[in-house]
Amino acid sequence: MDIKATSTEADQTFTDLLQTLSSIEDLKINTIPFDGSWTPGQLAQHIILSAGGFVQLLNGPVKDTERDSEANIPNLKTTFLNFTIKMKSPDFIVPEEKDYDKRQLVGTLQDIKVGLVKAIETLDTTKTCTAFELPVLGYLTRAEAIIFTIVHTQRHAHQLKNIRQHLTEDNV
């Protein structure tokens, strides 16, 4: 894994997400933009639940890896960056239906960004994380967990831009 390039990509991904979230009017952060969509606040909370969990996973227990530590990366990128497919979120990272505070969401996402970049730059990415087994993929290496977090966040940053456009165009 190219640590410098991955660190830069993580930083840029979260910066992009944070800029998009920050550009949404405070009054619209809890507005459903169209049928079947989360509010901007719910989408941000979903990323907090997922990415925050992955930062904990990266810093949790690990073991030596007995396979290519980057084996799942091409599949993760292909799957999560295919914006034409709709995915269903596991229940444990589905955001609660409630009013969210934009400043609090932004602050938490900034903390997650810092934690992710620190993990990329300081941890051995070849180790396998053992605290959580993903459905289908099983135990991920740190390298795979990092890429999962980045591409999952990129996917939702793309969705957030679409949500923002709907909220702006429709004057919801």
Side-chain angles (χ1 to χ4, degrees), residues 113-131:
K113 172 183 163 179
V114 169
L116 179 61
V117 170
K118 181 179 178 189
I120 293 166
E121 293 176 351
T122 62
L123 299 175
D124 180 349
T125 62
T126 67
K127 299 287 186 182
T128 296
C129 301
T130 59

Side-chain angles (χ1 to χ4, degrees), residues 23-137:
S23 72
I24 296 172
E25 292 178 47
D26 289 3
L27 294 175
K28 293 188 178 182
I29 205 74
N30 295 299
T31 302
I32 297 173
F34 49 86
D35 282 346
S37 175
W38 285 336
T39 68
Q42 287 175 302
L43 188 140
Q45 180 63 21
H46 169 71
I47 295 169
I48 288 167
L49 293 170
S50 175
F54 270 90
V55 169
Q56 289 179 345
L57 180 72
L58 290 166
N59 288 288
V62 294
K63 67 177 185 178
D64 288 340
T65 303
E66 299 172 3
R67 61 176 176 80
D68 176 357
S69 64
E70 298 183 19
N72 288 312
I73 289 176
N75 183 43
L76 290 168
K77 288 181 176 182
T78 300
T79 302
F80 281 94
L81 298 178
N82 179 350
F83 301 127
T84 63
I85 59 173
K86 185 157 173 75
M87 298 181 182
K88 184 169 175 16
S89 179
D91 289 343
F92 60 90
I93 54 172
V94 170
E96 187 179 345
E97 289 184 25
K98 68 172 201 165
D99 284 346
Y100 290 93
D101 178 83
K102 185 169 87 171
R103 280 173 292 290
Q104 187 176 28
L105 294 169
V106 166
T108 302
L109 287 165
Q110 286 172 329
D111 291 344
I112 290 169
K113 172 183 163 179
V114 169
L116 179 61
V117 170
K118 181 179 178 189
I120 293 166
E121 293 176 351
T122 62
L123 299 175
D124 180 349
T125 62
T126 67
K127 299 287 186 182
T128 296
C129 301
T130 59
F132 180 74
E133 186 173 7
L134 267 77
V136 182
L137 293 174

